Coordinates of all heavy atoms in Angstrom, one line a residue:
M1 N 102.3 207.0 53.6 CA 101.6 206.2 54.6 C 102.6 205.3 55.3 O 103.5 204.8 54.7 CB 100.6 205.3 54.0 CG 99.2 206.0 53.8 SD 98.0 204.8 53.4 CE 97.6 205.3 51.8
T2 N 102.4 205.1 56.6 CA 103.2 204.2 57.3 C 102.9 202.7 56.9 O 101.8 202.5 56.3 CB 102.9 204.3 58.8 OG1 101.5 203.9 59.1 CG2 103.2 205.7 59.4
N3 N 103.9 201.8 57.0 CA 103.7 200.5 56.6 C 102.5 199.8 57.3 O 101.7 199.1 56.6 CB 104.9 199.6 56.7 CG 105.9 199.9 55.6 OD1 105.5 200.3 54.5 ND2 107.2 199.8 55.9
P4 N 102.3 200.0 58.6 CA 101.1 199.3 59.2 C 99.8 199.8 58.6 O 98.9 199.1 58.4 CB 101.3 199.7 60.7 CG 102.7 200.0 60.9 CD 103.2 200.6 59.6
L5 N 99.7 201.2 58.3 CA 98.5 201.7 57.8 C 98.3 201.1 56.4 O 97.2 200.8 56.0 CB 98.5 203.2 57.8 CG 97.3 203.9 57.2 CD1 96.0 203.5 57.9 CD2 97.4 205.4 57.2
K6 N 99.4 201.1 55.6 CA 99.2 200.5 54.2 C 98.7 199.1 54.3 O 97.8 198.7 53.5 CB 100.6 200.4 53.5 CG 101.1 201.7 53.0 CD 102.5 201.5 52.4 CE 103.2 202.8 52.1 NZ 104.5 202.6 51.6
T7 N 99.2 198.3 55.2 CA 98.7 196.9 55.3 C 97.2 196.9 55.7 O 96.4 196.1 55.2 CB 99.5 196.1 56.4 OG1 100.9 196.2 56.0 CG2 99.1 194.7 56.5
Q8 N 96.8 197.7 56.7 CA 95.5 197.8 57.2 C 94.5 198.2 56.0 O 93.4 197.6 55.9 CB 95.3 198.7 58.3 CG 96.0 198.3 59.6 CD 95.9 199.4 60.7 OE1 95.5 200.5 60.4 NE2 96.3 199.0 61.9
V9 N 94.9 199.1 55.2 CA 94.1 199.6 54.1 C 94.0 198.5 53.0 O 92.9 198.3 52.5 CB 94.7 200.9 53.5 CG1 94.0 201.3 52.2 CG2 94.5 202.1 54.5
L10 N 95.1 197.9 52.7 CA 95.1 196.9 51.6 C 94.2 195.7 51.9 O 93.6 195.2 51.0 CB 96.5 196.5 51.3 CG 97.4 197.5 50.6 CD1 98.8 197.0 50.4 CD2 96.8 197.8 49.2
I11 N 94.1 195.3 53.2 CA 93.3 194.2 53.4 C 91.8 194.5 53.5 O 91.0 193.7 53.6 CB 93.7 193.4 54.7 CG1 93.6 194.3 56.0 CG2 95.1 192.9 54.6 CD1 93.9 193.6 57.3
K12 N 91.5 195.8 53.5 CA 90.1 196.3 53.6 C 89.5 196.8 52.2 O 88.5 197.4 52.2 CB 90.0 197.4 54.6 CG 90.4 197.1 56.0 CD 89.2 196.4 56.7 CE 89.5 196.2 58.1 NZ 88.3 195.8 58.9
I13 N 90.2 196.5 51.1 CA 89.7 196.9 49.8 C 88.8 195.8 49.3 O 89.1 194.7 49.3 CB 90.9 197.2 48.8 CG1 91.7 198.4 49.3 CG2 90.4 197.4 47.4 CD1 92.9 198.7 48.5
D14 N 87.7 196.3 48.8 CA 86.8 195.3 48.1 C 86.0 196.1 47.0 O 86.2 197.3 46.8 CB 85.8 194.6 49.1 CG 84.9 195.5 49.8 OD1 85.0 196.8 49.7 OD2 84.0 195.1 50.5
T15 N 85.2 195.4 46.3 CA 84.4 196.0 45.2 C 82.9 195.8 45.6 O 82.5 194.8 46.1 CB 84.7 195.5 43.8 OG1 84.4 194.0 43.8 CG2 86.1 195.7 43.4
I16 N 82.1 196.8 45.2 CA 80.6 196.7 45.4 C 80.0 197.1 44.1 O 80.6 197.8 43.2 CB 80.1 197.6 46.6 CG1 80.5 199.0 46.4 CG2 80.7 197.1 47.9 CD1 79.9 200.0 47.4
T17 N 78.7 196.8 43.9 CA 78.0 197.2 42.7 C 77.1 198.3 43.2 O 76.3 198.2 44.1 CB 77.2 196.0 42.1 OG1 78.1 195.0 41.7 CG2 76.5 196.5 40.9
Y18 N 77.1 199.4 42.5 CA 76.3 200.6 42.8 C 75.7 201.1 41.5 O 76.4 201.5 40.6 CB 77.1 201.7 43.5 CG 76.3 202.9 43.8 CD1 75.5 202.9 44.9 CD2 76.5 204.1 43.0 CE1 74.7 204.1 45.2 CE2 75.7 205.2 43.4 CZ 74.9 205.2 44.4 OH 74.1 206.3 44.7
K19 N 74.3 201.0 41.4 CA 73.6 201.4 40.2 C 74.2 200.8 39.0 O 74.4 201.5 37.9 CB 73.6 203.0 40.1 CG 72.8 203.6 41.3 CD 72.7 205.1 41.1 CE 71.8 205.7 42.2 NZ 71.6 207.1 42.1
G20 N 74.5 199.5 39.0 CA 75.0 198.8 37.9 C 76.5 199.0 37.6 O 77.0 198.5 36.6
H21 N 77.2 199.7 38.4 CA 78.6 200.0 38.2 C 79.4 199.3 39.3 O 79.0 199.2 40.5 CB 78.9 201.5 38.2 CG 78.3 202.2 37.1 ND1 78.8 202.3 35.8 CD2 77.1 203.0 37.1 CE1 78.0 203.0 35.1 NE2 77.0 203.4 35.8
S22 N 80.6 198.8 39.0 CA 81.5 198.3 40.0 C 82.3 199.4 40.6 O 82.8 200.3 39.9 CB 82.5 197.3 39.4 OG 81.8 196.1 39.0
V23 N 82.3 199.5 41.9 CA 83.0 200.6 42.6 C 84.0 200.0 43.6 O 83.7 199.0 44.3 CB 81.9 201.4 43.4 CG1 82.6 202.5 44.2 CG2 80.9 202.0 42.5
I24 N 85.2 200.5 43.6 CA 86.2 200.1 44.6 C 85.9 200.8 45.9 O 85.8 202.0 46.0 CB 87.6 200.4 44.1 CG1 87.9 199.6 42.8 CG2 88.6 200.0 45.2 CD1 89.2 200.0 42.2
R25 N 85.8 200.0 47.0 CA 85.5 200.6 48.3 C 86.8 200.4 49.1 O 87.3 199.2 49.2 CB 84.3 199.9 48.9 CG 84.1 200.4 50.4 CD 82.8 199.9 50.9 NE 82.7 198.4 50.9 CZ 81.7 197.7 51.3 NH1 80.6 198.3 51.8 NH2 81.7 196.4 51.2
I26 N 87.3 201.4 49.7 CA 88.5 201.4 50.5 C 88.1 201.8 51.9 O 87.7 203.0 52.2 CB 89.6 202.3 50.0 CG1 90.0 201.9 48.6 CG2 90.8 202.2 50.9 CD1 90.9 202.9 47.9
N27 N 88.1 200.9 52.9 CA 87.8 201.2 54.3 C 89.1 201.6 55.0 O 90.1 200.9 55.0 CB 87.2 200.0 55.0 CG 85.8 199.7 54.4 OD1 84.9 200.5 54.4 ND2 85.7 198.5 53.9
I28 N 89.0 202.8 55.6 CA 90.2 203.2 56.4 C 89.8 203.0 57.9 O 88.9 203.5 58.4 CB 90.4 204.7 56.2 CG1 90.6 205.1 54.7 CG2 91.6 205.2 57.0 CD1 91.7 204.4 54.0
P29 N 90.6 202.2 58.6 CA 90.3 201.9 60.0 C 90.6 203.1 60.9 O 91.4 204.0 60.5 CB 91.3 200.7 60.3 CG 92.4 200.9 59.3 CD 91.8 201.5 58.1
P30 N 90.0 203.2 62.0 CA 90.3 204.3 63.0 C 91.8 204.4 63.3 O 92.4 203.3 63.4 CB 89.5 203.9 64.2 CG 88.4 203.0 63.8 CD 89.0 202.2 62.6
Q31 N 92.3 205.6 63.4 CA 93.7 205.8 63.6 C 93.9 206.3 65.0 O 93.0 207.0 65.6 CB 94.3 206.7 62.6 CG 94.1 206.3 61.2 CD 94.8 204.9 60.9 OE1 96.0 204.9 61.0 NE2 94.1 203.9 60.6
K32 N 95.1 206.1 65.6 CA 95.4 206.6 66.9 C 96.3 207.8 66.9 O 96.6 208.4 67.9 CB 96.1 205.5 67.7 CG 95.2 204.3 68.0 CD 95.8 203.3 68.8 CE 94.8 202.1 69.1 NZ 95.4 201.0 69.8
E33 N 96.8 208.1 65.6 CA 97.6 209.3 65.5 C 97.5 209.8 64.0 O 96.9 209.1 63.2 CB 99.1 209.0 65.8 CG 99.7 207.9 64.9 CD 101.1 207.5 65.3 OE1 101.4 207.6 66.5 OE2 101.9 207.2 64.5
I34 N 97.9 211.0 63.8 CA 97.9 211.5 62.4 C 98.7 210.7 61.5 O 99.9 210.3 61.8 CB 98.3 213.0 62.4 CG1 97.4 213.8 63.2 CG2 98.4 213.5 61.0 CD1 97.9 215.3 63.4
S35 N 98.2 210.4 60.3 CA 99.0 209.7 59.3 C 99.4 210.7 58.2 O 98.7 211.6 57.8 CB 98.1 208.6 58.6 OG 97.8 207.6 59.5
F36 N 100.7 210.6 57.8 CA 101.2 211.5 56.8 C 101.5 210.7 55.5 O 101.8 209.5 55.5 CB 102.5 212.0 57.3 CG 102.4 213.0 58.4 CD1 102.3 212.6 59.7 CD2 102.3 214.4 58.1 CE1 102.1 213.6 60.8 CE2 102.1 215.3 59.1 CZ 102.0 214.9 60.5
V37 N 101.4 211.4 54.4 CA 101.8 211.0 53.1 C 103.0 211.8 52.8 O 102.9 213.0 52.5 CB 100.7 211.1 52.0 CG1 101.2 210.7 50.7 CG2 99.5 210.4 52.4
G38 N 104.2 211.2 52.9 CA 105.4 212.0 52.8 C 105.5 212.9 54.0 O 105.4 212.4 55.2
E39 N 105.5 214.2 53.8 CA 105.5 215.2 54.9 C 104.1 215.9 55.0 O 104.0 216.9 55.7 CB 106.6 216.1 54.8 CG 108.0 215.5 54.9 CD 109.1 216.5 54.9 OE1 108.9 217.7 55.0 OE2 110.3 216.0 54.9
K40 N 103.1 215.4 54.3 CA 101.8 216.1 54.3 C 100.7 215.3 55.0 O 100.8 214.0 54.9 CB 101.4 216.3 52.8 CG 102.3 217.3 52.1 CD 101.8 217.5 50.7 CE 102.8 218.4 49.9 NZ 102.3 218.7 48.5
A41 N 99.8 216.0 55.6 CA 98.6 215.3 56.2 C 97.4 215.9 55.5 O 97.4 217.1 55.1 CB 98.6 215.6 57.7
F42 N 96.3 215.1 55.4 CA 95.1 215.6 54.7 C 93.9 215.3 55.6 O 93.9 214.4 56.4 CB 95.0 214.8 53.4 CG 96.1 215.1 52.4 CD1 97.2 214.3 52.4 CD2 96.0 216.1 51.5 CE1 98.3 214.6 51.5 CE2 97.0 216.4 50.6 CZ 98.2 215.6 50.6
I43 N 92.9 216.2 55.4 CA 91.7 216.1 56.1 C 90.5 216.2 55.1 O 90.7 216.7 54.0 CB 91.5 217.1 57.2 CG1 91.6 218.6 56.6 CG2 92.5 216.9 58.3 CD1 91.3 219.7 57.6
R44 N 89.3 215.8 55.5 CA 88.1 215.9 54.7 C 87.4 217.2 55.1 O 87.3 217.5 56.3 CB 87.2 214.8 54.9 CG 87.7 213.5 54.4 CD 87.8 213.4 52.9 NE 86.4 213.4 52.3 CZ 86.2 213.5 51.0 NH1 87.2 213.5 50.2 NH2 85.0 213.5 50.5
E45 N 87.1 218.0 54.1 CA 86.2 219.2 54.4 C 85.0 219.1 53.4 O 85.2 219.2 52.2 CB 87.0 220.5 54.1 CG 88.0 220.9 55.1 CD 88.6 222.2 54.9 OE1 88.4 222.8 53.8 OE2 89.3 222.7 55.8
D46 N 83.9 218.8 54.0 CA 82.7 218.5 53.2 C 83.0 217.3 52.3 O 83.4 216.3 52.8 CB 82.2 219.7 52.5 CG 81.8 220.9 53.5 OD1 81.2 220.6 54.5 OD2 82.2 222.0 53.2
S47 N 82.9 217.5 51.0 CA 83.2 216.4 50.1 C 84.5 216.5 49.4 O 84.8 215.8 48.5 CB 82.1 216.4 49.0 OG 82.1 217.6 48.2
S48 N 85.4 217.3 50.0 CA 86.8 217.5 49.4 C 87.8 217.0 50.4 O 87.6 217.0 51.6 CB 87.0 219.0 49.1 OG 86.1 219.5 48.2
T49 N 89.0 216.6 49.9 CA 90.2 216.3 50.7 C 91.2 217.4 50.5 O 91.5 217.8 49.4 CB 90.8 215.0 50.2 OG1 89.8 213.9 50.3 CG2 92.0 214.6 51.0
V50 N 91.6 218.0 51.6 CA 92.5 219.1 51.5 C 93.7 218.9 52.5 O 93.6 218.1 53.4 CB 91.8 220.5 51.9 CG1 90.7 220.8 50.9 CG2 91.3 220.4 53.3
E51 N 94.8 219.5 52.1 CA 96.0 219.4 53.0 C 95.8 220.1 54.3 O 95.2 221.3 54.3 CB 97.2 219.9 52.3 CG 98.5 219.7 53.1 CD 99.7 220.2 52.3 OE1 99.7 220.6 51.1 OE2 100.8 220.2 53.0
A52 N 96.1 219.5 55.4 CA 96.0 220.1 56.7 C 97.3 220.9 57.0 O 98.4 220.3 57.1 CB 95.7 219.1 57.8
K53 N 97.2 222.2 57.2 CA 98.4 223.0 57.5 C 98.1 223.9 58.7 O 96.9 224.2 58.9 CB 98.7 223.9 56.3 CG 99.1 223.2 55.0 CD 99.4 224.2 53.9 CE 99.7 223.6 52.6 NZ 100.0 224.6 51.6
G54 N 99.1 224.3 59.3 CA 99.0 225.3 60.4 C 98.0 225.0 61.4 O 97.9 223.9 62.0
P55 N 97.0 225.9 61.7 CA 96.0 225.7 62.7 C 95.1 224.5 62.5 O 94.8 223.8 63.4 CB 95.2 227.0 62.6 CG 96.1 228.0 62.0 CD 97.0 227.2 61.1
K56 N 94.8 224.2 61.2 CA 94.0 223.0 61.0 C 94.8 221.7 61.4 O 94.2 220.8 62.0 CB 93.7 222.9 59.5 CG 92.6 223.8 59.1 CD 92.2 223.6 57.6 CE 91.2 224.7 57.2 NZ 90.8 224.5 55.8
L57 N 96.1 221.6 61.1 CA 96.8 220.5 61.5 C 96.9 220.4 63.1 O 96.8 219.3 63.6 CB 98.2 220.5 60.9 CG 99.1 219.3 61.2 CD1 98.4 218.0 60.7 CD2 100.5 219.5 60.5
L58 N 97.1 221.5 63.7 CA 97.1 221.5 65.2 C 95.7 221.0 65.7 O 95.7 220.3 66.7 CB 97.4 222.9 65.7 CG 98.8 223.3 65.6 CD1 99.0 224.8 66.0 CD2 99.8 222.4 66.3
A59 N 94.6 221.5 65.1 CA 93.3 221.1 65.6 C 93.1 219.6 65.4 O 92.6 218.9 66.3 CB 92.2 221.9 64.8
V60 N 93.5 219.0 64.3 CA 93.4 217.6 64.1 C 94.3 216.9 65.1 O 93.9 215.8 65.7 CB 93.9 217.2 62.6 CG1 94.0 215.7 62.5 CG2 92.9 217.8 61.7
S61 N 95.5 217.4 65.4 CA 96.4 216.8 66.3 C 95.7 216.7 67.7 O 95.9 215.7 68.4 CB 97.7 217.6 66.4 OG 98.4 217.2 67.5
Q62 N 95.0 217.7 68.1 CA 94.3 217.7 69.4 C 93.3 216.7 69.5 O 93.0 216.2 70.6 CB 93.8 219.1 69.7 CG 94.9 220.1 69.9 CD 94.4 221.5 70.2 OE1 93.2 221.8 69.9 NE2 95.3 222.4 70.6
L63 N 92.7 216.2 68.4 CA 91.6 215.2 68.4 C 92.2 213.9 68.9 O 91.5 213.0 69.5 CB 91.0 215.0 67.0 CG 90.2 216.2 66.5 CD1 89.8 215.9 65.1 CD2 89.0 216.4 67.4
F64 N 93.5 213.6 68.7 CA 94.2 212.4 69.1 C 94.7 212.4 70.5 O 95.1 211.4 71.0 CB 95.3 212.1 68.1 CG 94.9 211.7 66.7 CD1 94.8 212.6 65.7 CD2 94.4 210.4 66.5 CE1 94.4 212.2 64.4 CE2 94.0 210.0 65.2 CZ 94.0 211.0 64.2
Q65 N 94.6 213.6 71.1 CA 95.1 213.7 72.5 C 94.1 213.2 73.5 O 94.4 213.0 74.7 CB 95.4 215.2 72.8 CG 96.4 215.8 71.9 CD 97.8 215.2 71.9 OE1 98.2 214.8 73.0 NE2 98.4 215.0 70.8
K66 N 92.8 213.1 73.1 CA 91.7 212.7 74.0 C 91.8 211.2 74.4 O 92.2 210.4 73.8 CB 90.4 213.0 73.4 CG 90.3 214.5 73.2 CD 89.0 214.9 72.6 CE 88.9 216.4 72.4 NZ 87.7 216.9 71.8

């Protein structure tokens, strides 16, 4: 992650209680460009996080062009 994104994420971490359990909540602020972890980018597909490669990465990239 880029340093600005790390800072934005770290200041948005808090805990909530859900059904009697403490849960860490991490809020990710809206981004203006694709964020990479090392050389990889990830997207959500339904309830999973998957690496964005090839056409999927291009499709995500186009979302930021608008």
Side-chain angles (χ1 to χ4, degrees):
M1 273 192 246
T2 62
N3 282 330
L5 180 56
K6 285 181 194 176
T7 301
Q8 291 173 351
V9 169
L10 288 173
I11 62 174
K12 297 280 188 170
I13 293 177
D14 63 350
T15 58
I16 59 173
T17 301
Y18 179 75
K19 295 186 178 183
H21 297 279
S22 292
V23 177
I24 297 173
R25 178 172 55 183
I26 303 172
N27 291 302
I28 308 298
Q31 301 299 295
K32 295 181 181 179
E33 59 186 34
I34 297 174
S35 295
F36 289 86
V37 178
E39 294 187 7
K40 296 180 180 182
F42 297 88
I43 58 172
R44 294 290 293 173
E45 284 187 350
D46 300 316
S47 61
S48 300
T49 301
V50 297
E51 185 177 351
K53 296 180 182 179
K56 286 184 184 180
L57 186 56
L58 287 174
V60 170
S61 168
Q62 290 176 350
L63 294 173
F64 291 98
Q65 303 298 320
K66 296 178 180 181

